[in-house]
């Protein structure tokens, strides 16, 4: 006894299979592209770190548990680098700093680029000693000259820190406190970090810059 399917020629099956495969490929490509664009929306294109969108997403998802610290990092003398060597070199310097920040942070410590040479690092469930160690480590790496396009470029960093327990962690307040402390570090001579605590700012540490030895001039 013949059925409806028996009356359909074999080539029609092939066409249907091909059409389904093409639809599947198109859907996969569409979803993959949407996923890629979504990732790009939260990433800084120069450094690969999370951007302001990524920072806002963190605060929206933050559940208020555990201690939290916000570290505001600003690069000292970055404008001079841009003015002297151009924005291309400046971008390469930012990329190098971004790599260093990724190297020294872990899954509980996330770095963000929030402006030209401005970064934020958020630390979850960290004791004050750990926060201080990380701040010193970051500054220690930044103050070493970066070798970019055949030249040594020396900069330093200034860091301000705000700390709170999870129940009192507020994005606007903590970021403002960290910025206030960071600008205080700049006024005190740069290349150091300060902590905003109980309405006061106190200096924690200064990191000595590491300079390369001057090259000896060759005799004529």
């Amino acid at each position: 006894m013949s059925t409806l399917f028996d009356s359909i020629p074999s080539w029609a099956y092939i066409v249907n299979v091909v059409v389904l495969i093409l639809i599947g490929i198109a859907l996969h490509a569409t979803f993959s592209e949407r996923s890629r664009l979504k990732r790009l929306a939260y990433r800084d294109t120069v450094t690969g770190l999370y951007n302001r969108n990524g920072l806002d997403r963190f605060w929206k998802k933050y559940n208020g548990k555990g201690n939290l610290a916000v570290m505001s990092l600003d690069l000292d003398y970055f404008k001079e680098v841009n003015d002297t060597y151009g924005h291309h070199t400046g971008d390469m310097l930012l990329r190098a700093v971004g790599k260093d920040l990724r190297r020294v942070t872990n899954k509980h410590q996330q770095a963000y680029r929030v402006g030209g040479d401005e970064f934020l690092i958020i630390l979850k469930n960290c004791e004050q000693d750990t926060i201080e160690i990380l701040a010193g480590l970051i500054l220690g790496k930044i103050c070493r000259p970066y070798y970019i396009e055949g030249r040594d470029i020396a900069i330093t960093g200034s860091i301000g820190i705000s700390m709170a327990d999870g129940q009192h962690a507020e994005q606007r307040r903590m970021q403002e406190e960290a910025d206030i402390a960071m600008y205080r570090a700049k006024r005190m001579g740069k290349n150091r970090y300060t902590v905003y605590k109980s309405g006061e700012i106190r200096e924690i540490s200064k990191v000595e810059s590491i300079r390369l030895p001057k090259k000896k001039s060759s005799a004529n």
Side-chain angles (χ1 to χ4, degrees):
M1 181 178 179
S2 62
T3 64
L4 177 62
F5 294 103
D6 293 333
S7 61
I8 300 177
S10 58
W11 62 264
Y13 287 111
I14 297 175
V15 171
N16 288 335
V17 170
V18 171
V19 169
L20 290 174
I21 291 174
L22 292 176
I23 292 174
I25 293 174
L27 289 174
H28 176 74
T30 299
F31 288 126
S32 297
E33 181 64 14
R34 287 181 179 177
S35 178
R36 186 183 71 85
L37 292 175
K38 186 177 180 180
R39 289 195 302 271
L40 290 176
Y42 296 110
R43 292 284 183 177
D44 172 56
T45 56
V46 175
T47 64
L49 300 175
Y50 285 110
N51 56 19
R52 284 188 178 272
N53 292 333
L55 181 63
D56 291 339
R57 183 176 64 171
F58 165 80
W59 283 106
K60 288 178 182 178
K61 292 184 176 182
Y62 179 59
N63 57 18
K65 295 181 180 180
N67 298 328
L68 195 73
V70 173
M71 192 180 291
S72 177
L73 165 65
D74 190 85
L75 303 183
D76 305 322
Y77 314 112
F78 180 74
K79 182 178 184 300
E80 288 82 348
V81 172
N82 265 344
D83 292 344
T84 303
Y85 303 114
H87 291 280
H88 174 67
T89 298
D91 285 348
M92 294 181 70
L93 176 60
L94 290 172
R95 193 172 298 117
V97 171
K99 288 181 180 178
D100 278 342
L101 292 179
R102 283 195 296 271
R103 289 190 184 105
V104 300
T105 53
N106 58 36
K107 63 180 181 180
H108 300 296
Q109 306 159 356
Q110 185 63 62
Y112 303 81
R113 183 187 176 210
V114 295
D117 61 335
E118 301 170 9
F119 300 84
L120 277 182
I121 300 95
I122 293 183
L123 301 89
K124 298 185 294 183
N125 303 322
C126 289
E127 300 298 327
Q128 183 169 340
D129 288 346
T130 302
I131 298 168
E132 294 180 16
I133 290 171
L134 180 62
L137 184 60
I138 289 172
L139 292 180
K141 281 189 169 293
I142 290 175
C143 74
R144 291 174 170 82
Y146 288 92
Y147 188 75
I148 297 176
E149 294 194 321
R151 60 174 67 93
D152 293 311
I153 297 179
I155 60 169
T156 58
S158 297
I159 290 178
I161 301 169
S162 173
M163 295 179 288
D165 61 70
Q167 294 180 347
H168 298 92
E170 299 175 2
Q171 178 180 7
R172 182 175 179 179
R173 177 181 60 78
M174 293 190 72
Q175 290 181 199
E176 286 180 350
E177 291 177 353
D179 283 342
I180 290 171
M182 181 269 292
Y183 284 116
R184 176 65 179 274
K186 281 186 174 292
R187 290 194 298 271
M188 295 176 70
K190 304 180 176 65
N191 195 34
R192 68 189 70 209
Y193 60 91
T194 59
V195 174
Y196 189 104
K197 192 172 183 180
S198 301
E200 298 179 353
I201 302 174
R202 62 187 180 91
E203 182 180 4
I204 296 297
S205 178
K206 177 181 178 181
V207 177
E208 294 299 330
S209 299
I210 299 176
R211 304 295 184 185
L212 292 181
K214 293 182 178 180
K215 295 181 179 179
K216 296 180 179 180
S217 58
S218 57
N220 293 329

